[in-house]
């Protein structure tokens, strides 16, 4: 039976020939994958070779843009106009790189030191988002050519440690490339999916994903339970990867053979030789080549010595990630190896001895992330009804209510996407504005939580305190983007705010927030109880003062002075900020005024009825006259 896909946004029937893809937008290389006959596969080009594109862009003097394999040649012939490692610059400002500018062979726009980075290529400035979009477009165009179908929908992966700005920048790059970005997915989550983990809803697993690529390293600890992928911890080094090994080899050769490359072209040649050495040593014990009349060689033993310090650093990160996640290495059910540099035998051996079991490298380490992204895209396209991929919001979200109390609207660990609404009201007569302050965290008082945003709902029609109905709605979409909307129900006055992804909070932050909420639970509750009493006391004080004023003529002088005294007693108790005093004063005032208030209420009702009768009588008179 064929499926008919409906686009919920437009209500249109979707073209079923359309393909959803998964894209691994990598620092060094980018890949695109799809589901074919129920299996994830890297899309192949005309020569039946996997579409594997170096993440390199060249902008020619004529403005012509070349991407991928062609552009890589330009690293030698035109290094100043050729951009690599653009992923490192996503969502960053020049300030972030002030100490490492020379690492990049290209020029930055120095005038924009505080804003987002821009790169100067042949007298024009380009943003990393723009440059990344060229990579994406190139990949998609190549895939479309090879398959003969149009590609619009895609899932793009990012490292688990990417923050809001970096995720947003990646999403924007997809949009500029003409893609409908279904979701931005964490790379370790995608890798786990590619390995078929988490698809059995009854299994609960702890997974470590060790990803050593060209320029970056990260290790993530995931917990998969009931189809929910939770990133428990992620650690890494955004400046550690295969490039470091290349550089170490170059340094070693330069010292050993006294090499002095004289221009960027010679430097690039040397770089390619070093990389070739590294790759060959993954399969053999020795490497040798020639460069500028020198014979360069490198043995496996020498290479081990050069790379060991870097591998040790990755293991340190691994230990920290484990400790952040609260797990021990023995608790890890699967250790997945991802990224081209995990092909190095020295990496594999080091991990095997650290893990005590064999790490899983059964998938092509360069391909796992793209394959997983394709699976995720397939799920989102609704092709796998049996399998729902869920994420959870890591910390509770709520708003500040009277006295600084955190009122949780979406509790922590709720499965997203989710919507939740609650009704609030004003605390002062005629109150026109209501401040909505949005917080994240587990503590009872907002002062201990994290303020995410605030806005003011204006133009509430004047009404007595407690009468307006203001609905505050929290909505978290599949990417973790939170939108908060406040609506005054009578006039439908509305105000809303969107807060970027909630996922960028680190597992360490979540853990420390939870620990604090437990540690301070008792004192938080005491403070909250005091604030509740103060709120109640203040409300009673205002109500009693109003009552005294409105019912002045019906009260005896004794009643008036007694109520006044009790109000003063309550005010003093409120000033003392001692909960027991306040409670006593509330009780005393309530006890004394309750019977009087009942009587007053009866009288008001009787008055109201009498007034009604009178007006009816007048009406009758008028009718008679008429
Ligand atoms: P990725 O960013 O995951 O594509 O990884 C690219 C890195 O993997 C580059 O530094 C490559 O030099 C490195 N790499 C690819 N193949 C091998 C190999 N056979 N041995 C060692 N490193 C490799």
């Amino acid at each position: 039976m064929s499926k008919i896909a409906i686009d919920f946004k437009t209500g249109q029937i979707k073209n079923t020939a359309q393909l959803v893809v998964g894209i691994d937008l990598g620092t060094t290389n980018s890949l695109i994958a799809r589901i074919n006959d129920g299996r994830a596969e890297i899309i192949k080009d005309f020569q039946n070779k996997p579409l594997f594109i170096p993440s390199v862009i060249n902008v020619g003097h004529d403005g012509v843009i070349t991407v991928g394999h062609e552009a890589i040649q330009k690293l030698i012939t035109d290094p100043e106009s050729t951009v690599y490692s653009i992923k490192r610059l996503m969502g960053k400002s020049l300030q972030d790189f002030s100490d490492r500018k020379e690492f990049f062979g290209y020029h930055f726009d120095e005038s924009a030191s505080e804003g987002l980075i821009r790169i100067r290529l042949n007298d024009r400035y380009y943003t990393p988002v723009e440059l990344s979009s060229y990579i994406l477009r190139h990949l998609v165009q190549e895939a479309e050519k090879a398959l003969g179908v149009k590609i619009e929908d895609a899932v793009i992966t990012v490292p688990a440690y990417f923050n809001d700005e970096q995720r947003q920048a990646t999403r924007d790059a997809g949009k500029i490339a003409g893609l409908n970005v279904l979701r931005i997915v964490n790379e370790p989550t995608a890798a786990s999916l590619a390995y078929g983990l988490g698809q059995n809803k009854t299994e609960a697993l702890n997974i470590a994903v060790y990803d050593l690529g060209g320029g970056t390293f990260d290790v993530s600890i995931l917990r998969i339970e009931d189809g929910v992928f939770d990133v428990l911890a992620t650690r890494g080094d955004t400046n550690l990867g295969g490039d470091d090994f290349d550089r170490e080899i170059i340094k070693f050769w330069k010292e050993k053979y006294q090499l002095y490359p004289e221009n960027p072209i010679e430097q690039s040649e040397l770089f390619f030789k070093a990389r070739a050495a590294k790759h060959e040593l993954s399969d053999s014990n020795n490497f040798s080549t020639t460069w500028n009349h020198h014979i360069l060689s490198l043995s496996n033993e020498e290479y081990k010595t050069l790379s060991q310090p870097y591998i040790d650093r990755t293991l340190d990160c691994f230990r920290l990630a484990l400790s952040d996640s609260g797990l021990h290495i023995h608790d890890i059910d699967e250790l997945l190896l991802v990224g081209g540099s995990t092909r190095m035998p020295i990496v594999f051996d080091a991990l095997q001895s650290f893990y005590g079991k064999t790490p899983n490298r059964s998938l092509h380490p360069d391909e796992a992330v793209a394959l997983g992204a394709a699976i995720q895209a397939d799920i989102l396209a609704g092709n796998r009804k049996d399998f729902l991929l869920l994420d959870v919001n890591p910390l509770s979200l709520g708003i500040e209510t009277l006295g600084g109390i955190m009122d949780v609207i979406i509790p922590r660990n709720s499965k997203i996407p989710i919507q939740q609404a609650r009704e609030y009201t004003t605390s002062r007569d005629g109150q026109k504005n209501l401040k909505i302050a949005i917080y994240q965290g587990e503590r009872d008082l907002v002062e201990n939580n994290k303020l995410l945003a605030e806005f003011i709902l204006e133009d509430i029609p004047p009404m007595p305190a407690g009468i307006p109905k203001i609905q505050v709605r929290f909505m978290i979409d599949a990417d973790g983007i939170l939108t908060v909307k406040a609506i005054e129900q009578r006039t439908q006055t509305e105000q809303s705010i969107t807060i970027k992804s909630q996922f960028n909070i680190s597992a360490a932050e979540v853990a420390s927030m939870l620990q604090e909420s437990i540690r301070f639970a008792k004192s938080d509750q005491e403070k909250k109880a005091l604030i509740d009493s103060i709120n109640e006391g203040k409300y009673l004080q205002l109500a009693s003062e109003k009552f005294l004023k409105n019912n002045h003529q019906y009260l005896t002088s004794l009643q008036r002075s007694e109520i006044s005294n009790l109000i003063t007693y309550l005010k003093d108790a409120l000033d003392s900020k001692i909960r027991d005093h306040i409670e006593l004063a509330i009780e005393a005032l309530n006890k004394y005024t309750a019977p009087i208030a009942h009587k007053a209420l009866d009288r008001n009702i009787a008055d109201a009825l009498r007034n009604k009768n009178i007006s009816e009588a007048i009406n009758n008179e008028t009718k008679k006259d008429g």
Side-chain angles (χ1 to χ4, degrees):
M1 196 180 73
S2 67
K3 284 190 191 126
I4 297 174
I6 295 176
D7 184 332
F8 285 107
K9 275 188 222 137
T10 60
Q12 303 287 316
I13 292 182
K14 275 191 177 179
N15 175 7
T16 43
Q18 208 164 286
L19 190 69
V20 290
V21 295
I23 298 177
D24 171 6
L25 182 60
T27 311
T28 322
N29 298 301
S30 295
L31 283 95
I32 181 165
R34 64 157 175 171
I35 302 295
N36 187 17
D37 256 348
R39 280 175 56 93
E41 67 169 28
I42 301 294
I43 296 176
K44 309 244 176 36
D45 65 11
F46 280 123
Q47 294 151 349
N48 212 27
K49 285 214 302 256
L51 262 174
F52 176 95
I53 286 174
S55 306
V56 180
I57 308 123
N58 171 265
V59 178
H61 295 275
D62 45 6
V64 171
I65 288 158
T66 355
V67 180
H69 298 287
E70 244 180 277
I72 231 173
Q73 302 303 323
K74 312 269 172 137
L75 274 176
I76 298 183
T77 56
D78 185 18
E80 291 204 345
S81 309
T82 310
V83 180
Y84 53 90
S85 280
I86 196 68
K87 187 171 173 176
R88 291 170 181 281
L89 306 179
M90 292 293 262
K92 300 267 176 165
S93 73
L94 198 55
Q95 259 174 354
D96 297 328
F97 285 92
S98 51
D99 55 337
R100 270 173 287 141
K101 267 185 290 185
E102 67 288 350
F103 169 81
F104 300 93
Y106 34 90
H107 300 287
F108 295 107
D109 174 7
E110 299 285 343
S111 64
S113 68
E114 299 208 345
L116 290 180
I117 255 175
R118 295 199 311 164
I119 297 146
R120 207 185 73 213
L121 299 165
N122 283 325
D123 297 332
R124 229 207 89 182
Y125 291 111
Y126 296 82
T127 63
V129 170
E130 237 177 324
L131 294 168
S132 298
S133 80
Y134 296 143
I135 302 175
L136 290 170
R137 194 175 299 152
H138 184 72
L139 259 182
V140 168
Q141 281 172 350
E142 291 296 302
E144 284 178 341
K145 266 194 262 165
L147 299 172
V149 286
K150 180 118 194 71
I151 296 171
E152 278 177 5
D153 299 325
V155 160
I156 306 176
T157 58
V158 294
Y161 60 78
F162 253 30
N163 65 20
D164 291 337
E165 280 74 25
Q166 294 168 300
R167 280 165 202 266
Q168 193 56 46
T170 308
R171 187 175 269 281
D172 291 345
K175 265 193 220 152
I176 296 172
L179 289 168
N180 170 32
V181 182
L182 297 173
R183 197 177 285 186
I184 297 293
V185 172
N186 286 329
E187 286 159 8
T189 301
S192 309
L193 280 172
Y195 274 94
L197 301 171
Q199 306 207 12
N200 175 355
K201 276 202 216 135
T202 54
E203 84 190 334
L205 290 172
N206 298 320
I207 295 165
V209 181
Y210 176 102
D211 184 347
L212 187 59
T216 60
F217 164 70
D218 52 275
V219 56
S220 306
I221 314 289
L222 308 186
R223 169 88 182 154
I224 309 181
E225 203 166 353
D226 301 329
V228 178
F229 284 65
D230 199 4
V231 179
L232 297 181
T234 174
R235 285 270 182 171
D237 189 331
T238 46
N239 289 301
L240 197 167
D243 300 347
D244 290 305
F245 307 130
D246 303 337
R247 267 195 295 274
E248 285 298 329
I249 297 173
I250 295 172
K251 210 166 103 196
F252 173 78
W253 279 342
K254 275 185 178 171
E255 278 167 20
K256 185 170 175 190
Y257 302 111
Q258 296 297 302
L259 309 179
Y260 301 99
E262 280 170 5
N263 51 48
I265 294 182
E266 285 191 359
Q267 266 169 10
S268 288
E269 281 171 0
L270 205 51
F271 160 79
F272 282 112
K273 300 276 181 191
R275 184 165 280 190
K278 177 180 79 172
H279 288 196
E280 198 166 313
L281 288 176
S282 286
D283 297 313
S284 63
N285 283 326
N286 272 298
F287 173 85
S288 73
T289 187
T290 56
W291 180 83
N292 269 7
H293 316 296
H294 293 277
I295 295 174
L296 314 178
S297 72
L298 186 70
S299 74
N300 223 335
E301 279 310 305
E302 285 164 333
Y303 181 50
K304 246 188 191 169
T305 317
L306 296 178
S307 53
Q308 193 64 50
Y310 295 95
I311 311 237
D312 290 344
R313 265 166 61 193
T314 68
L315 293 181
D316 289 341
C317 283
F318 202 157
R319 285 187 196 97
L320 289 173
L322 280 169
S323 124
D324 289 347
S325 70
L327 296 179
H328 192 266
I329 187 74
H330 306 311
D331 301 321
I332 300 296
D333 300 299
E334 286 277 358
L335 167 58
L336 307 180
L337 303 193
V338 177
S341 301
T342 59
R343 286 218 185 77
M344 285 165 47
I346 172 171
V347 171
F348 188 86
D349 295 346
L351 283 167
Q352 184 154 24
S353 79
F354 179 66
Y355 185 36
K357 287 192 250 174
T358 308
N360 197 339
R361 203 178 45 174
S362 56
L363 285 178
H364 208 303
D366 299 313
E367 294 183 354
V369 169
L371 295 176
I375 296 172
Q376 167 80 86
D378 198 41
I379 296 165
L380 291 172
N383 297 336
R384 296 183 178 211
K385 290 276 182 294
D386 53 322
F387 182 39
L388 196 62
L389 189 73
L390 294 165
D391 268 305
V392 294
N393 77 316
L395 287 171
S396 301
L397 295 163
I399 64 168
E400 173 177 3
T401 53
L402 212 58
I405 289 180
M406 168 87 174
D407 197 25
V408 171
I409 298 188
I410 299 187
R412 122 180 189 83
N413 266 343
S414 301
K415 288 176 185 170
I416 65 160
I418 189 172
Q419 286 205 32
Q420 214 80 267
R422 191 164 298 165
E423 224 161 63
Y424 295 89
T425 188
T426 50
S427 57
R428 278 181 287 111
D429 288 344
Q431 190 175 329
K432 280 196 205 143
N433 299 329
L434 187 71
K435 189 172 90 177
I436 313 279
I438 302 144
Y439 283 86
Q440 179 180 47
E442 304 311 308
R443 303 281 296 275
D444 287 323
L445 303 181
V446 292
E447 64 187 34
N448 300 317
N449 290 332
K450 183 175 166 193
L451 177 67
L452 294 180
E454 51 189 10
F455 66 90
I456 291 173
L457 178 68
E458 290 171 332
D459 299 330
I460 300 170
M463 281 182 257
I467 299 297
K469 285 188 179 152
I470 294 151
Q471 188 197 62
V472 176
R473 179 172 290 276
F474 274 45
M475 292 164 277
I476 311 182
D477 72 8
D479 289 327
I481 312 275
L482 169 69
T483 302
V484 176
K485 208 180 251 183
I487 308 170
E488 196 285 305
Q489 302 284 41
R490 220 180 58 173
T491 53
Q492 292 291 305
T493 310
E494 187 181 309
Q495 189 81 36
S496 71
I497 197 163
T498 296
I499 303 159
K500 287 183 207 152
S501 175
Q502 304 303 299
F503 291 136
N504 68 327
I505 189 152
S506 76
E509 274 177 272
V510 174
S512 97
M513 183 51 101
L514 292 179
Q515 277 159 3
E516 277 178 14
S517 75
I518 295 165
R519 192 149 53 98
F520 295 109
K522 194 156 173 277
S523 71
D524 275 3
Q525 269 162 18
E526 279 164 10
K527 280 189 206 153
K528 182 171 181 286
L530 173 64
I531 293 169
D532 283 342
S533 300
I534 292 177
N535 287 341
E536 193 189 339
K538 278 191 184 154
Y539 178 76
L540 183 64
Q541 179 203 328
L542 292 177
S544 307
E545 283 168 352
K546 223 195 255 179
F547 177 77
L548 255 187
K549 205 170 122 211
N550 294 346
N551 295 279
H552 195 264
Q553 72 272 34
Y554 304 118
L555 301 172
T556 65
S557 63
L558 181 70
Q559 282 174 329
R560 285 200 300 265
S561 76
E562 191 60 16
I563 294 174
S564 290
N565 286 342
L566 286 168
I567 290 176
T568 311
Y569 177 51
L570 174 60
K571 276 189 188 160
D572 290 346
L574 284 169
D575 286 344
S576 79
K577 296 206 162 51
I578 298 171
R579 186 163 167 252
D580 288 349
H581 282 191
I582 300 169
E583 289 289 310
L584 271 178
I586 289 174
E587 205 190 323
L589 183 56
N590 261 334
K591 213 168 155 188
Y592 186 78
T593 52
I596 306 174
H598 273 134
K599 260 196 208 138
L601 191 64
D602 290 347
R603 194 173 42 244
N604 287 345
I605 292 170
D607 278 356
L609 287 174
R610 210 169 22 252
N611 286 339
K612 186 169 168 245
N613 289 343
I614 290 167
S615 69
E616 271 176 8
I618 293 170
N619 271 340
N620 290 341
E621 289 292 337
T622 343
K623 267 185 215 146
K624 246 191 261 166
D625 281 347

